[in-house]
Amino acid sequence: MADRTAQIAAGDILGFSCVRNEAHRLPHFLRHHRALGVRHFLFVDNASTDGTSRLLADQPDVSLWHTQGSYKASRFGMDWLTWLLMRYGHGHWCLTLDADELLIYPYWQTRPLPALTDWLDRQGRSSLGALTVDMYPEGQVSQGAVAPDEDPLAHLCWFDAGNYQVQVQPRMRNLWIQGGARARAFFAADPRKAPTLNKIPLVRWHWRQAYVNSTHSLLPAWLNQVYATDGGELTSGILLHTKFLPGITERSAEEKARGQHFGDAAQYAAYYDRLTADPVLHCGASTRYTGWRQMEALGLMSRGGWI
């Protein structure tokens, strides 16, 4: 729908995302990641009906594809994005995100992504791990209003500082982290069904690479080792998850009907029903977000020697 890939220059950091009906989030998403240093965005629009395609097609640094295909049948959009990563991402540092994710990392307000990727290159690393942290409001999830150009974190300013469980998956040595607000509020009876929170969103891409399960793990498997094994720490980031904006109740009812977001949608029927009921996620243990240094102090991210 809009091919501006000829603008991509050597060394550019590229952004990749599959979206559907995200016109409300995208202005801030684009502004935030442009400020970090993403030079070109490659989007796949999956049958949006809210003006998402038009908004993206009008952006001078966006290339856009459109599909009516099944999100679930495309491995939740990863087949579409993998083709774009192979074709355009080879040799570039590539940031693959959902539209409701905002990347932060140590010093992110003063050091752009090229400074981070230069540090990773000098450390001999080709991937950066990040923990997804669910952000939520103080009251019911449907309350309030957030304008498209407004920072959603002004509204979603609370998170769970604890309640995280970490394992290493033996097959590909990737982390498996669960917990946080969604595990507490929606999967307390069976925490092993809670969403996976670890991701590897930033990768120096080679055409032979591929994401296996969303951005939770990759092949070759050595890219999944985004954690230290010697008792130390490696530099990591946070994906601030802005899912719980006003409108989530209506969207949850729609997604339950579509059944496109989970391998076994029936298992998540109660999850969608709870969201549709307009819950309050805030609790006595909730923590107000203040910035990346707070996240590091809580042990949720690390500078890993980057000073």
Side-chain angles (χ1 to χ4, degrees):
M1 300 188 74
D3 185 357
R4 300 184 178 97
T5 54
Q7 300 175 5
I8 297 173
D12 281 353
I13 295 175
L14 308 180
F16 295 78
S17 188
C18 180
V19 295
R20 183 178 185 276
N21 289 343
E22 296 288 5
H24 196 84
R25 276 194 180 89
L26 284 169
H28 182 77
F29 174 91
L30 290 166
R31 183 169 67 245
H32 177 86
H33 294 103
R34 282 170 179 149
L36 291 186
V38 176
R39 289 291 168 257
H40 198 84
F41 297 87
L42 298 92
F43 282 93
V44 176
D45 175 39
N46 184 202
S48 290
T49 58
D50 69 341
T52 288
S53 285
R54 184 170 60 255
L55 184 155
L56 290 173
D58 288 342
Q59 305 299 312
D61 55 355
V62 166
S63 291
L64 175 65
W65 286 259
H66 177 86
T67 179
Q68 296 282 345
S70 167
Y71 182 73
K72 185 174 180 179
S74 67
R75 290 191 308 122
F76 308 104
M78 294 315 300
D79 287 340
W80 304 328
L81 293 182
T82 297
W83 188 91
L84 294 178
L85 284 157
M86 289 173 63
R87 175 67 179 82
Y88 300 105
H90 179 73
H92 293 267
W93 279 94
C94 297
L95 181 62
T96 304
L97 299 172
D98 294 335
D100 59 8
E101 295 172 338
L102 300 173
L103 175 69
I104 65 168
Y105 51 84
Y107 310 106
W108 69 272
Q109 288 122 324
T110 55
R111 299 184 189 179
L113 277 169
L116 174 61
T117 56
D118 179 65
W119 163 255
L120 295 172
D121 282 333
R122 286 187 283 115
Q123 296 296 306
R125 295 179 57 199
S126 296
S127 53
L128 177 85
L131 174 69
T132 303
V133 175
D134 293 313
M135 309 300 295
Y136 50 84
E138 189 167 6
Q140 291 174 295
V141 295
S142 68
Q143 74 172 21
V146 179
D149 288 325
E150 185 179 351
D151 183 350
L153 298 180
H155 177 71
L156 306 175
C157 49
W158 298 88
F159 68 100
D160 281 24
N163 184 37
Y164 296 98
Q165 304 174 53
V166 184
Q167 301 180 57
V168 176
Q169 295 284 67
R171 184 165 175 244
M172 292 197 298
R173 307 302 298 168
N174 58 294
L175 294 179
W176 185 23
I177 304 177
Q178 294 173 290
R182 279 181 290 172
R184 167 177 59 82
F186 305 112
F187 297 93
D190 194 352
R192 293 299 296 271
K193 291 182 179 178
T196 305
L197 301 179
N198 53 283
K199 291 196 170 185
I200 308 172
L202 183 63
V203 180
R204 177 179 278 284
W205 205 260
H206 189 285
W207 66 266
R208 290 189 177 95
Q209 295 166 188
Y211 281 115
V212 176
N213 176 23
S214 181
T215 56
H216 303 305
S217 60
L218 299 102
L219 288 172
W222 60 268
L223 290 165
N224 298 317
Q225 193 165 311
V226 292
Y227 53 92
T229 58
D230 59 1
E233 295 182 355
L234 296 183
T235 307
S236 61
I238 293 283
L239 296 178
L240 299 172
H241 192 209
T242 66
K243 179 183 183 69
F244 299 109
L245 286 178
I248 182 64
T249 54
E250 296 85 355
R251 186 160 188 153
S252 296
E254 178 189 0
E255 293 305 333
K256 178 184 176 183
R258 292 180 70 234
Q260 289 287 302
H261 278 269
F262 297 100
D264 183 355
Q267 283 190 354
Y268 287 84
Y271 168 67
Y272 283 127
D273 289 343
R274 178 81 196 282
L275 274 174
T276 305
D278 200 10
V280 174
L281 300 180
H282 186 275
C283 69
S286 296
T287 299
R288 192 177 187 94
Y289 173 70
T290 61
W292 72 265
R293 293 181 186 276
Q294 173 198 40
M295 294 294 192
E296 182 183 39
L298 291 168
L300 302 180
M301 65 180 287
S302 176
R303 278 176 282 188
W306 191 30
I307 57 175

